[in-house]
Amino acid sequence: KRSAESVLEPVATSITGKESYQFGDLTRKVLSDADEALATTRDAYFEELPAAMWRQLFGGLTPQQRSDVVIALCQFTAVCVLSLSLVSNLLQGAFFSVAWGLSSRHSRLSPLAAGQWPALLRTHATLRLALGPLLLPAELTAAALLTPRYRRAVAALQARMPLRASQPVLSRVCALAVAWALVNGVAVLAGTAAGVAIAAAVAGVPVWPPSGVVLA
């Protein structure tokens, strides 16, 4: 009996004109051409997608309107990032306060005393590794809920900027910078300091060691 391959190969050879033709060459060639066509189409799609999205979103707007929309989107993105940063910093401050209390309770010494600071850092790192991933969904949810309030706070600061009429973009940037310094900086530090004080009181160990601050 002759196999199907031995029957079809002479026919394919006569059609293609290739003496070295083997069964399956034509199929592989078609599949290879199809893969190349799909790759070309995919590359072209991803290259043209940003321009198409831009035309869809901003095609009917004037240059001034497009500029205003882009600036508003940038400001909203910055507020979202700052909100997430605030929640993350508050959480890290809470971890630090808990680590302070645990370290103080275990050693009966302040972490500011000689030789105690590395133990505090190890405890803090352990809490972050153990609880950080578990609290990530709550952290993202809190940031999403905080974003509208943070945006209103930035808008209130922007309304008080002296250059809000003549330099609106500069006033937005200044408002974001002031909000970051006051809320993400000063407020977080104050909250962490309060947390440390509470943790020290619960542990029954003063924050400041009697011999003074020695971090060696």
Side-chain angles (χ1 to χ4, degrees):
K1 270 188 178 181
R2 300 179 64 188
S3 65
E5 293 184 10
S6 62
V7 173
L8 293 176
E9 281 184 0
V11 178
T13 301
S14 63
I15 294 174
T16 61
K18 295 174 58 179
E19 295 294 336
S20 60
Y21 178 86
Q22 293 183 354
F23 189 77
D25 286 353
L26 185 60
T27 302
R28 286 191 291 270
K29 180 65 167 60
V30 171
L31 292 177
S32 177
D33 292 343
D35 289 340
E36 292 179 1
L38 288 174
T40 301
T41 303
R42 183 177 61 249
D43 294 341
Y45 174 78
F46 283 110
E47 289 175 0
E48 296 174 2
L49 181 60
M53 292 180 63
W54 181 270
R55 289 192 298 269
Q56 184 70 22
L57 292 173
F58 306 112
L61 302 179
T62 64
Q64 182 60 43
Q65 289 173 332
R66 284 198 294 268
S67 177
D68 292 340
V69 170
V70 170
I71 291 173
L73 288 175
C74 291
Q75 183 176 7
F76 180 74
T77 302
V79 169
C80 291
V81 171
L82 291 177
S83 298
L84 181 59
S85 174
L86 173 59
V87 174
S88 178
N89 291 342
L90 289 173
L91 184 61
Q92 296 308 315
F95 285 160
F96 187 83
S97 301
V98 173
W100 187 289
L102 293 176
S103 179
S104 298
R105 187 173 182 179
H106 176 73
S107 64
R108 305 310 302 171
L109 293 171
S110 168
L112 298 178
Q116 298 305 309
W117 191 256
L120 169 66
L121 296 181
R122 286 193 299 269
T123 305
H124 180 237
T126 302
L127 288 173
R128 288 180 57 186
L129 290 175
L131 300 179
L134 298 177
L135 294 177
L136 182 59
E139 184 178 346
L140 296 176
T141 302
L145 296 175
L146 181 63
T147 296
R149 294 175 174 81
Y150 205 113
R151 184 182 60 81
R152 288 194 291 269
V154 172
L157 288 172
Q158 183 180 342
R160 290 171 171 78
M161 293 292 167
L163 299 177
R164 62 183 181 279
S166 59
Q167 298 290 339
V169 176
L170 180 60
S171 66
R172 289 189 181 100
V173 173
C174 292
L176 288 170
V178 171
W180 173 80
L182 293 179
V183 180
N184 295 48
V186 176
V188 170
L189 287 176
T192 303
V196 166
I198 294 173
V202 171
V205 178
V207 173
W208 306 100
S211 57
V213 179
V214 182
L215 297 178

